[in-house]
Amino acid sequence: MTATDQAREMLAIAAAAADSKGGEDLVALDVSGPLPLVDIFLLVSGRSERNVAAIADEIEEKLLEAGYKRLRREGRSEARWVLLDFGDLVVHVFHEEERVYYGLERLWKDCPIVPVEVKQGASAED
């Protein structure tokens, strides 16, 4: 199996939202093979708890605005590892230290990487 077009659309929205709040090291993994209920994991790093919370809030807001339903949210109060479950897309927003410690990229290394394209706005000089 491969990630659906809807999951890729959700990924694009989430990646742009994460980028707008300073999310770093965005990695998307196609987990549709081993996990039949999920298509893509998006992993994002933030530099502080405050940054992690802001990134997670922005992703959640933009996906809800686009009409997607959040199934579950965990970790928002601690803001060290926030999980946002939108069905086809599950977003993991990590504090840098937690991301290294838990190493999800290592655990899911057999899954294909999905290209993450963040559309940059036009510059003011254009």
Side-chain angles (χ1 to χ4, degrees):
M1 281 194 93
T2 60
T4 64
D5 289 341
Q6 177 174 303
R8 290 174 186 275
E9 179 181 315
M10 294 169 76
L11 172 62
I13 293 167
D19 184 66
S20 76
K21 293 298 180 182
E24 298 178 347
D25 196 17
L26 279 68
V27 175
L29 302 170
D30 184 336
V31 295
S32 60
L35 295 176
L37 299 178
V38 179
D39 283 352
I40 297 174
F41 277 178
L42 174 60
L43 312 177
V44 182
S45 293
R47 293 191 170 273
S48 66
E49 287 89 349
R50 191 170 171 180
N51 187 221
V52 167
I55 293 164
D57 290 348
E58 185 72 5
I59 291 170
E60 184 174 11
E61 180 181 322
K62 295 302 182 190
L63 285 170
L64 290 171
E65 283 177 6
Y68 297 106
K69 181 180 177 194
R70 186 192 76 223
L71 304 176
R72 188 175 67 187
R73 176 181 59 200
E74 295 181 13
R76 173 61 177 82
S77 60
E78 298 86 16
R80 300 287 298 178
W81 176 0
V82 179
L83 181 142
L84 301 170
D85 182 352
F86 278 87
D88 291 342
L89 175 70
V90 175
V91 181
H92 301 268
V93 184
F94 290 98
H95 188 285
E96 294 169 315
E97 295 166 3
E98 266 66 14
R99 183 157 179 183
V100 170
Y101 180 80
Y102 289 104
L104 289 189
E105 288 99 331
R106 207 173 48 249
L107 291 173
W108 297 96
K109 69 180 182 236
D110 294 336
C111 294
I113 292 177
V114 180
V116 178
E117 294 182 28
V118 178
K119 294 179 178 135
Q120 300 297 323
S123 74
E125 298 172 9
D126 288 343

